[in-house]
Amino acid sequence: MLYRKELLLHACLFFCVSLSAQQYPFVHYTPIDGLVNSRVRSAYQDSKGRMYFITYGGLSVFDGARFKNYTTQNGLLVDMVNDVVEIGDDSLLVAVNTRGLNILVHGEMRPLQVGKELYPVINRLLKSNDGSIYATTDEGLYKLGLTKFEKLPINIPGQTIPSSILGPIIEYRDFLIFTTYDSRKNYGPFLYNKKTGTIADHLADMAVYCLETGPGGSIWLSTTTTTMMLDTLALAKGKLELIKPRLVPTGLVSLQGGIIHFNNQQELLLSSSNNQIIRYRKDGTVQHIVLPELSTHFVQNFFIDREDVLWICHDGKGVYKLPGTKFQPVLYPFNDNSSGIRTISGITADAWWVVMNNGELIRQTFSGNKSFRATPSFDAYFLHTGKKYFYASDTRSLFMARSPTANETVVQFRKIMVLPDTAIFGGIVVGDKNGNIILFETRNLCVIQDDKLLFTYPLKPFDLVEGMHLDKHNRLWVINRYSGLMIFSLHPESPETYLKKELHFTKEFEDGSPRSMVVDGNEVLWVGSRYKGLTGFTVDTGGLKKTWHFQTQDGLTDNFITALTCDKDNNIIIGTQTGLDRLIKTQEGYRLENITKSSNTFSYINYVWMDAANNAFAWTKTSDILQVEPATTVSNRIAPELLLAEIKINGKKGVGLRSPFRLDHHQRNITFSVAAPSFIDEKQIKYSYLLSGDGNKDWSDTTSTADISLLNLSPGKYTLHVKAFFPSTSYTPKETEFVFTILPPWWQTWWFRIGVGLLGIGILITGIRIYYRRKLEKQKTILEKQQAVEKERTRIATDMHDDLGAGLSKIRFLSETVQRNIHEEAHQPHLQNIADSSVELVDKFNEIIWAMNEKNNSLEDLLYYMRNYTAKYCEENNLAYTIKIPDQVPPLIINGEMRRHIFLTIKEGLHNVVKHAGAKKVHLEVQLDPSITISIRDDGKGFDATIMSNAGNGLRNMEHRMKNVNGQLLINNDAGTLLTIIVPFPVT
């Protein structure tokens, strides 16, 4: 009931449809939405709740979150599908229009071959109550076994019936009932006894269009002209006998032929035309469900799922879904008045009034409507029916009239009040127990007693009243847009203080700007705001306590609440700027139901109200009137499961993965596609998840996205917890979990870590051993050096004793001799010997010093020292000589011991040449590849090595010296003597 003229003028659309017409809000699915093909033949629902749409162009599986389609590209033998039937956990047989059969297992489609026989074309599949699979085909009746596809005999004694094309099939106890599917000739229906394997009965030449099992195991069939039942008593005896349908409480009736289905309340739904489905309710009433835009097109079939959702399969326009008939637009003719609705008011339990734009007043009741004319004519913008009088107003004038009698069609109004300035009347009015009415204009609350203004209570300028309520204590509750809530006590005994303010609350509304109000049967105040949704308060003398709060994140269609009302069950009907919701009282609290949003319908709601039958009505900004049936709880409704639809690993489908499963270390990106097949309002289903194993303990925000992507996971064991929430239904949240492990790379495995640990320990031990070994080697080297030094010192001492001692002793002896005989000439040779011994002693001393000096430790120094010695020695002994040394000498280090051994060996060799060979010429040659090779050749007489070896120590000393440096000594007597020493290069 609007109070501002500019808003009221929007209500100006027309009503021009018959009283019985009801246009339900169907939801439409086409290939744009994911359907595989627009020509849909039939629908099927499996035990997990998923819908299967059988089309001429493939198979669509709809789980509420997504369509998954199968064609020849996904494993179907051909694209045209005839039927599907569930045979096991997530396993279905798929009959296609060719000689073959498909099976769909865990989302994977593949061909199925049983035995070696070629399949016929299968038209219908039936899973028997004993688990057997039967098929009606183009070549008769078949039974599917584990090892063969067996054809069953359907011969009738005394009659010749060809192998007919068979179609619809159902089961009754031990019997199968099926019919032909051949447009050329009808041979059925047939009654087949499974136990005897024979035809028990048949009705010849009867074209059966549909077979269906009804309440209590009843069997229904329809032809193109009529719908009948089969007598179950006769069926039990193996006889087919037709009887008239029986409807409760109507009894036996005659029905047209058509498609037959039964809903969860076991009510018959019959489609006998292309433009409507007739529902025969248990209370005896008939509901006509008008189909959307289908009157000139062919409806293939319709299906009712386990949630009582109606699916209409259309040949060319896809699938239409009707989630329920609880909500539908109500189109009233209002006596063919096409001027449009100005306002709806005067609401009582039995009636409500419609004010048309042309001034006509129409009273709507259960039995129909009645039209009245107001006189004098004025633009009425609200209407209130008091105990004795009618009250109405235009923007600034208030009128009163006596209530019309049953036969009157004119309401006589008279003006009782005119506002003196720019103030206008609002559209909210209440009547108190004293017969007075309380309304407001933009400056005051007004109390009207009959035709007199009894009392006014001033309001803040520009503040607007958005709701009024009289509670059971006869207190007036007034909600203002800016001033909050005021609660008044009523004092009829004192008209001058008729309204006395007792309580006032402002800050509790948190600047939400209230726009509507209702108080339920438990005295809970519900306030709808402009910005902050719906809030429930409890009121007492202590204050205003916020108890409930609902916003869009809690499921509301919109946070702008435009209208509120409460039904008999304390459910709150919520009008918003975009649609209609219902807050349903439950044992735990409340749950939200999106009435219009679930049907993809959106509209600004002006006003909401209830009738005596607990039906809710809403008037929209586009002048539509919406009707909502009372909230009901269906006890036998199967709650949906939370399913895992698909797993993708690194963007590729994980075939056959079931919880728990294991992945390699590089498979770190996982997408879980989940679904909760509920089709009442699948878009409102919300999902949340928690991944345990990564240290996270918080659930994700709820979202309608049913794909959960986990990226860059580290190796480890994880558990993915998933919850599904159903805001628009009474289903409790569902939860499931998936366990999986990402294996670490081999270098992060326990055995590798143990191996690395053992290896590390081994390396550590080896390192310690090497360290101490090297330390010992260093100590050994130092000791060896010390020993070498001691040895060298010993050698030097020995040499000095042997060489220098003997020489010094000789010099001493000669000196003493000369001293005694200094005047005798015979002693001149002794003086010469002293000089010679002194020279020799100096030379030996120089040799010792040269060998000990580290500055002479290169190979080059050795060779040049040896050359100088050879030249000097040969010259002193009158020997011709030649010396050949390489120009390039490698920079090798020769220690003192090796230098001494080599030099003394060469010296001994030259000494032998002078002493024994009688040679005149000596040639010394040095070669440095691949070892140090020094050769001395003379032109003497040679010598006998055996004699030389026995004669003295020279040769043995030479051999011993070469052995000490790992060298060789070679002597060759051929035209003189060739002495060769070979010493390997020292290791640097």
Side-chain angles (χ1 to χ4, degrees), residues 64-130:
R66 64 193 63 80
F67 282 92
K68 186 173 183 179
N69 298 325
Y70 298 91
T71 63
T72 52
Q73 296 179 352
N74 309 106
L76 277 180
L77 296 175
V78 295
D79 285 339
M80 183 175 175
V81 182
N82 291 340
D83 202 8
V84 298
V85 68
E86 187 174 16
I87 59 172
D89 181 30
D90 211 2
S91 301
L92 293 95
L93 288 179
V94 182
V96 291
N97 198 48
T98 188
R99 289 181 172 272
L101 188 63
N102 281 99
I103 186 169
L104 181 62
V105 180
H106 298 307
E108 294 298 316
M109 184 74 71
R110 61 176 182 265
L112 176 68
Q113 182 64 43
V114 177
K116 298 181 180 180
E117 296 83 3
L118 187 65
Y119 290 160
V121 177
I122 299 172
N123 298 316
R124 294 288 187 272
L125 291 165
L126 171 70
K127 185 178 180 181
S128 173
N129 51 26
D130 61 5

Side-chain angles (χ1 to χ4, degrees), residues 308-609:
D308 263 350
V309 175
L310 175 65
W311 302 85
I312 298 174
C313 305
H314 189 265
D315 187 6
K317 288 196 173 183
V319 177
Y320 289 85
K321 181 189 78 171
L322 182 62
T325 58
K326 62 185 178 184
F327 152 66
Q328 66 273 351
V330 180
L331 305 180
Y332 291 96
F334 301 131
N335 299 333
D336 297 326
N337 187 334
S338 59
S339 66
I341 298 175
R342 180 181 297 149
T343 186
I344 296 176
S345 59
I347 308 297
T348 66
D350 301 320
W352 39 280
W353 287 79
V354 179
V355 181
M356 306 300 291
N357 281 327
N358 64 357
E360 184 180 7
L361 309 178
I362 300 175
R363 184 173 185 264
Q364 182 67 44
T365 64
F366 287 108
S367 59
N369 58 69
K370 184 177 180 180
S371 177
F372 298 87
R373 181 170 54 87
T375 182
S377 177
F378 63 95
D379 294 333
Y381 286 116
F382 79 83
L383 194 67
H384 176 74
T385 57
K387 291 184 177 180
K388 295 186 294 183
Y389 300 105
F390 270 16
Y391 294 89
S393 81
D394 58 17
T395 55
R396 299 186 60 213
S397 299
L398 182 66
F399 298 84
M400 183 183 75
R402 180 180 51 82
S403 299
T405 62
N407 297 323
E408 289 180 330
T409 59
V410 177
V411 182
Q412 296 284 346
F413 283 98
R414 63 186 178 93
K415 188 181 298 185
I416 61 172
M417 182 178 176
V418 177
L419 299 178
D421 51 27
T422 57
I424 60 174
F425 284 104
I428 300 175
V429 187
V430 296
D432 64 16
K433 294 181 179 180
N434 306 302
N436 301 324
I437 69 167
I438 304 172
L439 52 81
F440 81 96
E441 44 95 357
T442 51
R443 302 169 310 165
N444 300 284
L445 288 175
C446 302
V447 180
I448 307 296
Q449 187 178 60
D450 295 334
D451 59 351
K452 297 178 181 179
L453 178 63
L454 185 65
F455 175 81
T456 60
Y457 183 90
L459 299 173
K460 287 184 177 181
F462 307 107
D463 202 357
L464 297 174
V465 173
E466 297 289 355
M468 292 194 296
H469 168 72
L470 278 169
D471 67 15
K472 59 185 178 182
H473 304 293
N474 202 31
R475 297 182 303 177
L476 177 67
W477 301 32
V478 179
I479 194 79
N480 294 274
R481 184 175 293 190
Y482 306 113
S483 300
L485 175 66
M486 296 183 290
I487 299 180
F488 297 88
S489 58
L490 275 61
H491 300 276
E493 74 282 0
S494 177
E496 64 275 7
T497 57
Y498 195 88
L499 297 178
K500 181 179 179 181
K501 186 167 70 173
E502 302 289 347
L503 299 171
H504 192 182
F505 307 99
T506 303
K507 63 181 181 179
E508 288 82 359
F509 301 100
E510 301 172 352
D511 298 325
S513 186
R515 296 302 171 91
S516 53
M517 178 189 82
V518 71
V519 179
D520 67 17
N522 296 320
E523 293 290 308
V524 175
L525 169 67
W526 295 93
V527 178
S529 69
R530 173 64 179 86
Y531 304 109
K532 295 190 176 182
L534 178 67
T535 308
F537 299 93
T538 54
V539 182
D540 55 32
T541 56
L544 193 65
K545 181 181 178 182
K546 183 166 71 172
T547 308
W548 306 96
H549 193 195
F550 298 92
Q551 299 186 87
T552 52
Q553 58 263 37
D554 305 301
L556 270 181
T557 298
D558 200 288
N559 281 335
F560 184 3
I561 311 299
T562 58
L564 293 171
T565 191
C566 180
D567 68 11
K568 295 178 180 178
D569 302 314
N570 276 334
N571 302 320
I572 308 300
I573 311 302
I574 308 166
T576 74
Q577 68 172 347
T578 53
L580 198 62
D581 295 335
R582 177 159 49 194
L583 191 63
I584 299 177
K585 189 76 175 67
T586 66
Q587 292 181 349
E588 297 79 16
Y590 292 91
R591 67 175 178 86
L592 268 168
E593 180 182 39
N594 300 129
I595 296 173
T596 54
K597 186 178 180 180
S598 64
S599 300
N600 202 30
T601 301
F602 300 93
S603 187
Y604 187 107
I605 305 299
N606 289 329
Y607 189 61
V608 291
W609 70 97

Side-chain angles (χ1 to χ4, degrees), residues 71-280:
T71 63
T72 52
Q73 296 179 352
N74 309 106
L76 277 180
L77 296 175
V78 295
D79 285 339
M80 183 175 175
V81 182
N82 291 340
D83 202 8
V84 298
V85 68
E86 187 174 16
I87 59 172
D89 181 30
D90 211 2
S91 301
L92 293 95
L93 288 179
V94 182
V96 291
N97 198 48
T98 188
R99 289 181 172 272
L101 188 63
N102 281 99
I103 186 169
L104 181 62
V105 180
H106 298 307
E108 294 298 316
M109 184 74 71
R110 61 176 182 265
L112 176 68
Q113 182 64 43
V114 177
K116 298 181 180 180
E117 296 83 3
L118 187 65
Y119 290 160
V121 177
I122 299 172
N123 298 316
R124 294 288 187 272
L125 291 165
L126 171 70
K127 185 178 180 181
S128 173
N129 51 26
D130 61 5
S132 302
I133 305 297
Y134 293 90
T136 55
T137 75
D138 281 359
E139 299 176 14
L141 181 66
Y142 280 77
K143 181 178 181 180
L144 180 63
L146 295 176
T147 58
K148 64 178 180 178
F149 199 52
E150 177 186 3
K151 183 174 184 179
L152 303 178
I154 58 172
N155 297 324
I156 299 176
Q159 299 187 38
T160 302
I161 298 178
S163 296
S164 300
I165 299 174
L166 302 182
I169 179 172
I170 60 173
E171 182 178 38
Y172 180 81
R173 298 182 180 178
D174 294 326
F175 295 95
L176 299 177
I177 305 168
F178 55 87
T179 185
T180 54
Y181 196 53
D182 193 343
S183 59
R184 298 167 299 179
K185 179 67 175 178
N186 296 295
Y187 295 96
F190 297 90
L191 183 64
Y192 180 82
N193 190 322
K194 294 186 294 181
K195 287 187 175 181
T196 62
T198 59
I199 295 293
D201 195 9
H202 87 290
L203 301 177
D205 302 331
M206 185 176 180
V208 177
Y209 183 70
C210 181
L211 287 169
E212 186 71 13
T213 300
S218 58
I219 304 300
W220 295 64
L221 60 81
S222 69
T223 67
T224 55
T225 58
T226 185
T227 294
M228 301 291 288
M229 294 177 62
L230 289 175
D231 188 343
T232 53
L233 295 177
L235 278 176
K237 299 176 183 179
K239 296 293 183 181
L240 293 173
E241 295 183 6
L242 299 175
I243 59 175
K244 277 190 174 184
R246 179 178 295 276
L247 295 177
V248 179
T250 309
L252 296 177
V253 294
S254 296
L255 298 175
Q256 294 181 342
I259 304 171
I260 306 168
H261 282 290
F262 292 88
N263 62 17
N264 290 346
Q265 289 74 47
Q266 298 299 307
E267 296 172 334
L268 172 66
L269 279 81
L270 176 65
S271 173
S272 58
S273 67
N274 284 332
N275 66 348
Q276 68 174 333
I277 295 175
I278 303 173
R279 175 187 176 188
Y280 296 89

Side-chain angles (χ1 to χ4, degrees), residues 844-914:
K844 288 182 178 181
F845 188 77
N846 289 335
E847 291 173 7
I848 293 172
I849 297 302
W850 173 80
M852 293 178 63
N853 193 347
E854 292 183 354
K855 295 181 179 180
N856 302 319
N857 62 356
S858 67
L859 176 60
E860 185 177 22
D861 291 333
L862 171 62
L863 296 181
Y864 286 120
Y865 185 82
M866 183 179 63
R867 181 186 65 180
N868 292 336
Y869 177 81
T870 301
K872 182 179 179 182
Y873 187 80
C874 290
E875 289 174 353
E876 290 176 352
N877 291 281
N878 299 318
L879 285 174
Y881 65 90
T882 58
I883 301 174
K884 184 178 182 182
I885 296 176
D887 295 332
Q888 298 294 329
V889 179
L892 295 178
I893 302 301
I894 306 296
N895 61 38
E897 182 180 6
M898 180 177 284
R899 295 200 308 272
R900 177 173 174 77
H901 285 307
I902 294 174
F903 173 73
L904 292 179
T905 302
I906 297 299
K907 180 179 178 181
E908 186 68 29
L910 292 173
H911 177 73
N912 291 335
V913 171
V914 172

Side-chain angles (χ1 to χ4, degrees), residues 606-640:
N606 289 329
Y607 189 61
V608 291
W609 70 97
M610 305 298 302
D611 68 6
N614 215 28
N615 293 304
F617 293 86
W619 175 43
T620 74
K621 200 170 186 177
T622 55
S623 279
D624 293 324
I625 298 176
L626 309 179
Q627 178 180 342
V628 182
E629 295 178 356
T632 57
T633 301
V634 181
S635 59
N636 61 345
R637 180 176 289 170
I638 301 175

